[in-house]
Amino acid sequence: MEPAGRDTVTELRRLGSGGREDRLSFRLVLSILWRCLPHIQGVRRHLVALAGSASLAILILIPFVMMSLNVFWTGILQGEPIPEIQARVFGVDPARVAYVDAIAPDARRLLFDRGIRVAVPFLLLFVLPLAGLLVYYYIWITQQINQSLRMELHDRLQTLSLRFHSEHRVGDAIYRLFQDSAMVSDLIEALFLTPVFQLGRHAITTAIVWMIHPLVGLIYLVAWIPMLALGGWFSRRMRVGFRAARETNAALTARIQEILAGIKVVKAYGIEAREQASFETHSRAAFDAAFGVRYLVSLFSVVTFVVVCIAMLVAGGVGIEFTRTGAAIFAAFALGLFGFDRWTLGLFNFFKGEMGSGATAFRVTFRMWARVQDMAIGIDRVFQLLDLEPEVQDAPDAVPFPDLGQGVAFESVSFRYQPDRPVLEGVDFRAAPGTVTAVVGPTGSGKSTLMALLLRLFDPDSGSVRIGSEDVRRIRLAELREKVAIALQENVLFGTSVRENIRYAVPESDDEAVRAAARVACADGFVSALPEGYETMLGERGAKLSTGQRQRLSIARAILKDAPILVLDEPTAALDASTELEVMDNLHEWARGRCVFVITHRLSTIRRADQILVLEEGRLAEHGSHAELLARDGGVYRRLVEHEAPEPAQVAAR
């Protein structure tokens, strides 16, 4: 089956080929690394300490390895004399192994025995513990950097406006938070730690082979030319592929989230097979994108391996010839400190090992460069979010939350989600403290948006929303959100205990306050009847409770906040008539000195409000009490009531 997702991958690659991926590889990577610097500042000293410790360890290891190889190959295997300094390091009398024409068999056995006694403890007591500590230290540093970026990204996702969240898929945000942000630790490894170690290894190898003979040093350096050319050619193509892979995987994650969130609907309509086919299409698109770019990376690795092998073969051939003829060492003045003045079998094996290490460093460096293209795309996707500024921020002269004073006032408020989509136009009203205000109107008339402006989830395009005498745009955002409680229509609960769900916004609340809030919401009775009462664990999104029970817990959570302003979005939609009556009576009692707003369609709830705001097509069509509005012939509210109860007289008589 040819998946529809393949077209998506092709389009992403086409777009990528003319977008951000056209920037020079090194420039792009450096710009992203620069953006990561704030997250590195906290561990900068640790990075320096790690690099210094590793460099010191390498400087200690290289002379020891050089001498050990020469002792083994030249002294023990060939029986040729070794330098005095090497004899003393391994605790053997120089007269028996240095100042002789050939080392005697018993002296060779002694040299082997002493070599084991020195090398094994050095390996077990120094090299392995130090390597373990350095690896542990490295992992700790990279995870600290990862944690820093992830926390900043999570904070930014919370501060971005509802407009952003309404236009972006949840699954994509999850993928950026967990997958893309995790690339920062790999990127730091690739752009800081790996270069420090591998380029340091390159420098050491280059210096050593140049000291042994400039010709093999030149061969080593010339190998860089085709490697850099290949890296430049492959880089942009890999970035385009990696962006396609990440975009399609983010789409797959979003699809999974949507299916699981709507699993009840899927089962209710019996469309499992259709959803499985849809998932297969998205999964195939992700597979195609990932496979294509991984193939490109593998091809890059094979080509670089071939180049390195050619350089190794040429350098190895030159080394063999120098060893056969016993050629003099170029920098005998330096290597002579460790007993080397000519090519020997031991030196050749050390040279071969160094060239092998250099070749490995080559492959690691360019394999890491291939990975950097993926990391750069992942981090770029993270910074796309971090670069977004929240639409709603504190004013420079923000003030604390004021006294309610005359209550909440909307003054000529207009708002549009998009320029051609007006939601509210010229809304004017005031809600005094100690009153319950019902907000009613047809679906899409702007009821929830009206309350979102009070919470400053958005700012009005014109007009102002005032609490007391202050415009909400001048009130500190954190204090505004703290002083306005809301019970959402969705009744979002978490997979923890009933108690923790109720005190979600006020985690320090004691048990008595939790129970008092539950009693106001008429939830204490059914919660106490649960197997473990307030300690009962709820399923995800409160799946173990009925809709009405979840609604009452949501109201209790808002009540517990004890805020001067309370917003209830369809608070009684899932309650039976008697429970609704009790809840509304409790709210009237609790609302003394507070402003309570109720968004509802239920007439029984509306009738108990002190004032009613009637919205129609984004305008405040009417406002007043139930009796006042019902008395208006042809009024909008009266039409709504008559639609619910055909005999208005009966309604008025209740």
Side-chain angles (χ1 to χ4, degrees):
M1 181 181 70
E2 179 73 7
R6 189 183 300 274
D7 293 336
T8 303
V9 176
T10 303
E11 179 64 11
L12 282 168
R13 288 178 176 169
R14 184 189 67 77
L15 292 174
S17 65
R20 301 164 73 95
E21 285 72 24
D22 269 339
R23 295 163 62 183
L24 291 174
S25 301
F26 200 61
R27 178 186 166 199
L28 171 65
V29 169
L30 284 181
S31 68
I32 292 175
L33 179 61
W34 178 261
R35 296 293 309 276
C36 293
L37 285 179
H39 304 281
I40 301 175
Q41 292 298 323
V43 294
R44 183 175 54 186
R45 288 180 298 175
H46 296 287
L47 286 170
V48 173
L50 178 64
S53 302
S55 301
L56 181 61
I58 291 173
L59 291 176
I60 294 173
L61 277 173
I62 284 180
F64 183 80
V65 171
M66 287 180 67
M67 291 188 290
S68 298
L69 286 172
N70 192 60
V71 166
F72 179 77
W73 287 100
T74 304
I76 297 173
L77 291 184
Q78 290 185 293
E80 296 182 4
I82 61 174
E84 178 183 348
I85 187 173
Q86 296 177 11
R88 295 191 181 281
V89 167
F90 287 93
V92 180
D93 184 1
R96 300 184 63 184
V97 296
Y99 303 115
V100 293
D101 293 332
I103 302 175
D106 61 328
R108 291 162 71 177
R109 285 192 293 270
L110 175 63
L111 190 59
F112 177 77
D113 179 66
R114 295 292 175 82
I116 294 297
R117 292 187 181 186
V118 172
V120 171
F122 181 77
L123 177 67
L124 295 179
L125 300 180
F126 176 74
V127 176
L128 291 181
L130 180 60
L133 287 173
L134 289 176
V135 169
Y136 178 85
Y137 198 19
Y138 156 72
I139 293 173
W140 182 86
I141 290 172
T142 55
Q143 290 306 307
Q144 289 294 316
I145 297 170
N146 188 12
Q147 175 73 357
S148 172
L149 181 61
R150 182 173 292 167
M151 293 301 294
E152 182 178 350
L153 180 58
H154 183 266
D155 180 66
R156 181 52 53 92
L157 283 170
Q158 291 188 108
T159 58
L160 289 173
S161 70
L162 290 183
R163 193 196 310 267
F164 167 84
H165 289 287
S166 66
E167 295 173 353
H168 292 78
R169 302 175 79 178
V170 174
D172 181 72
I174 293 173
Y175 193 88
R176 291 179 194 246
L177 184 61
F178 280 98
Q179 293 294 328
D180 292 334
S181 69
M183 290 294 99
V184 68
S185 55
D186 292 339
L187 190 66
I188 298 305
E189 173 191 352
L191 296 181
F192 181 80
L193 299 179
T194 295
V196 167
F197 293 126
Q198 299 304 329
L199 294 179
R201 194 73 188 88
H202 282 302
I204 291 171
T205 298
T206 302
I208 290 174
V209 296
W210 269 89
M211 285 191 292
I212 293 174
H213 201 285
L215 180 58
V216 290
L218 182 62
I219 294 171
Y220 185 79
L221 289 178
V222 167
W224 276 92
I225 297 174
M227 297 288 278
L228 292 173
L230 288 168
W233 191 87
F234 274 94
S235 292
R236 189 184 65 82
R237 289 161 178 81
M238 287 190 289
R239 287 198 303 277
V240 172
F242 279 124
R243 185 173 294 278
R246 288 190 171 274
E247 296 289 356
T248 51
N249 272 282
L252 179 62
T253 303
R255 189 65 193 135
I256 293 171
Q257 185 272 333
E258 290 168 355
I259 291 173
L260 294 180
I263 192 66
K264 291 183 179 179
V265 176
V266 172
K267 288 185 172 296
Y269 284 91
I271 56 175
E272 291 91 343
R274 192 172 77 193
E275 288 296 346
Q276 181 67 17
S278 172
F279 176 79
E280 182 180 356
T281 299
H282 283 79
S283 182
R284 173 58 65 177
F287 171 83
D288 288 343
F291 178 80
V293 72
R294 297 300 170 189
Y295 169 77
L296 197 61
V297 171
S298 299
L299 181 61
F300 177 65
S301 299
V302 170
V303 173
T304 55
F305 177 77
V306 170
V307 173
V308 170
C309 285
I310 293 173
M312 283 284 292
L313 288 172
V314 174
V318 173
I320 289 172
E321 178 61 23
F322 286 157
T323 303
R324 187 185 67 82
T325 60
I329 292 175
F330 175 70
F333 67 91
L335 296 180
L337 297 174
F338 306 109
F340 297 103
D341 59 1
R342 62 187 175 84
W343 282 81
T344 64
L345 184 59
L347 181 63
F348 172 75
N349 279 281
F350 173 73
F351 163 74
K352 186 175 67 174
E354 278 301 303
M355 287 298 292
S357 297
T360 299
F362 258 125
R363 294 197 303 272
V364 169
T365 300
F366 282 91
R367 184 169 63 243
M368 185 62 71
W369 181 249
R371 289 185 56 206
V372 163
Q373 311 311 309
D374 183 27
M375 300 169 199
I377 294 301
I379 298 301
D380 187 48
R381 281 168 44 84
V382 170
F383 285 125
Q384 284 176 5
L385 287 187
L386 293 180
D387 287 340
L388 296 175
E389 290 295 332
E391 293 182 30
V392 176
Q393 301 185 53
D394 277 333
D397 57 345
V399 299
F401 190 88
D403 184 78
L404 270 183
Q406 295 183 351
V408 175
F410 278 62
E411 300 174 350
S412 302
V413 170
S414 297
F415 176 77
R416 299 165 183 251
Y417 286 108
Q418 296 177 4
D420 58 340
R421 288 179 54 194
V423 180
L424 295 172
E425 290 286 345
V427 175
D428 277 286
F429 72 87
R430 180 177 296 276
T435 62
V436 175
T437 300
V439 184
V440 302
T443 300
S445 58
K447 302 185 296 297
S448 296
T449 301
L450 193 72
M451 293 299 99
L453 294 176
L454 174 60
L455 276 162
R456 246 200 118 195
L457 300 177
F458 307 103
D459 281 333
D461 295 329
S462 62
S464 63
V465 181
R466 294 186 175 277
I467 297 176
S469 59
E470 291 290 347
D471 190 317
V472 295
R473 287 171 290 202
R474 294 196 65 246
I475 301 173
R476 292 173 189 158
L477 196 57
E479 292 192 29
L480 175 65
R481 303 276 170 82
E482 180 184 347
K483 299 297 184 180
V484 179
I486 184 168
L488 298 170
Q489 184 177 0
E490 297 176 10
N491 303 318
V492 177
L493 298 178
F494 303 94
T496 181
S497 68
V498 173
R499 174 180 285 104
E500 294 307 314
N501 268 282
I502 293 177
R503 63 183 188 184
Y504 174 74
V506 195
E508 67 277 6
S509 298
D510 57 30
D511 291 349
E512 181 53 40
V514 170
R515 286 182 174 273
R519 284 193 289 270
V520 173
C522 298
D524 184 61
F526 82 81
V527 171
S528 299
L530 293 173
E532 298 178 55
Y534 283 83
E535 296 299 327
T536 301
M537 299 298 293
L538 303 180
E540 186 172 354
R541 300 179 66 87
K544 295 182 179 180
L545 302 178
S546 69
T547 304
Q549 290 172 330
R550 292 199 299 271
Q551 195 162 49
R552 280 179 277 173
L553 289 185
S554 183
I555 295 173
R557 181 178 3 186
I559 295 293
L560 181 63
K561 199 172 179 182
D562 197 27
I565 300 173
L566 174 65
V567 178
L568 302 174
D569 193 350
E570 295 288 0
T572 61
L575 304 184
D576 59 76
S578 61
T579 304
E580 175 193 6
L581 177 62
E582 186 177 357
V583 168
M584 291 307 298
D585 286 344
N586 291 346
L587 283 175
H588 266 281
E589 180 66 25
W590 178 86
R592 292 178 180 176
R594 299 178 172 89
C595 289
V596 177
F597 295 89
V598 181
I599 302 172
T600 183
H601 289 92
R602 296 187 66 165
L603 180 59
S604 51
T605 301
I606 298 169
R607 292 178 66 250
R608 291 176 173 79
D610 296 295
Q611 74 166 335
I612 301 167
L613 308 178
V614 184
L615 292 176
E616 186 176 46
E617 296 182 353
R619 297 182 178 276
L620 183 58
E622 299 173 337
H623 71 279
S625 67
H626 172 72
E628 292 170 350
L629 297 179
L630 198 62
R632 296 182 184 178
D633 291 333
V636 178
Y637 179 72
R638 180 163 180 164
R639 289 202 308 271
L640 292 174
V641 171
E642 290 173 347
H643 180 73
E644 182 173 329
E647 295 295 335
Q650 295 178 8
V651 176
R654 290 180 186 177

